[in-house]
Amino acid sequence: MKGIVLAGGYGTRVHPITLGVSKQLLPVYDKPMIYYPLSVLMLAGITEIQIVSSPDDLAAFRRLLGDGSSLGIQLSYAEQDKPRGLADAFLVSADHIGDDSVALALGDNVFHGAGFAALLQEAARSIEGCVLFGHPVRDPERYGVGELDERGNLVAIEEKPTSPRTNLAITGLYFYDNDVVDIAGRLRPSERGELEITDVNRAYLERGDAKLISLGRGFAWLDTGTHDALMEAGQYVQVLQRRQGVRIACLEEIAWRMGYIDREACYRLGSRLSKSPYGRYIMAIAETG
């Protein structure tokens, strides 16, 4: 399976702080926002990942992440000259996807929960159709929502419904088989001129190939698209890390625990950042296990 992190857009909901920098480079407490979706793909066992962003921002992502070799993964970069909807990522990254299945993670989503890595790896093991991830919210009218029947089968998808029949929001993490490239290529742009991810998901649903995994109690899903949401995400990460003594979305630790790099390489990565608590944490976990 290949991975895509979509880190484009103008970040208009958090202007003016994104007038000079990509939203996905803003900090969520102690690390750049893009670390969070990238960590999700790494936890799923995906090691070939493409970052899709605007031409103006790609250089900054390259400076931050490089080619991924220090983490034992392969990172590549692709330009999206202007936002054309989430589904456009599959067309931009068609060569990267090739004949493989693909996972798309939105660059401004934060996930956290016990057992999340095992859940992701199981879902990614054999993709037939699409696998979506849902999370209950108090304001489902702001999201695409999924409706499950009594057996847990996905039966309907509504985009920002005025009278939602469910509170299960579809999150910014999507797994697809290779048909997604052809499906995205056949989409008609919406009134906003965008290729909508909901239309992709409905195409799979109509042919009976869509599944939704509900992330219930014990899981957190945070969309950092507004000033308040960005602050809340940072506070969530701060509180959990202080209480538990572990770091959420620490790419270096994940790379070591997943076997992408060895202990010595993990320690070296931490030593480069040794003046920060983040770097010292990496060094400590590499020493103690």
Side-chain angles (χ1 to χ4, degrees), residues 187-208:
L187 292 182
R188 293 183 179 181
S190 66
E191 293 180 356
R192 299 185 299 173
E194 297 183 351
L195 302 181
E196 303 289 352
I197 198 73
T198 296
D199 292 337
V200 172
N201 297 336
R202 283 178 176 150
Y204 278 103
L205 180 62
E206 289 170 1
R207 72 184 204 185

Side-chain angles (χ1 to χ4, degrees), residues 90-143:
F90 303 115
L91 305 183
V92 171
S93 296
D95 289 341
H96 167 68
I97 297 169
D99 296 326
D100 213 337
S101 56
V102 61
L104 172 66
L106 302 190
D108 60 359
N109 278 213
V110 176
F111 294 86
H112 181 251
F116 194 36
L119 185 153
L120 291 170
Q121 291 164 29
E122 177 63 26
R125 190 162 291 121
S126 179
I127 294 293
E128 294 181 3
C130 78
V131 177
L132 311 175
F133 297 85
H135 194 278
V137 295
R138 68 174 182 273
D139 49 357
E141 65 278 359
R142 293 182 52 229
Y143 303 94

Side-chain angles (χ1 to χ4, degrees), residues 3-19:
I4 301 171
V5 176
L6 183 56
Y10 300 124
T12 53
R13 290 187 294 165
V14 286
H15 277 174
I17 57 176
T18 49
L19 290 176

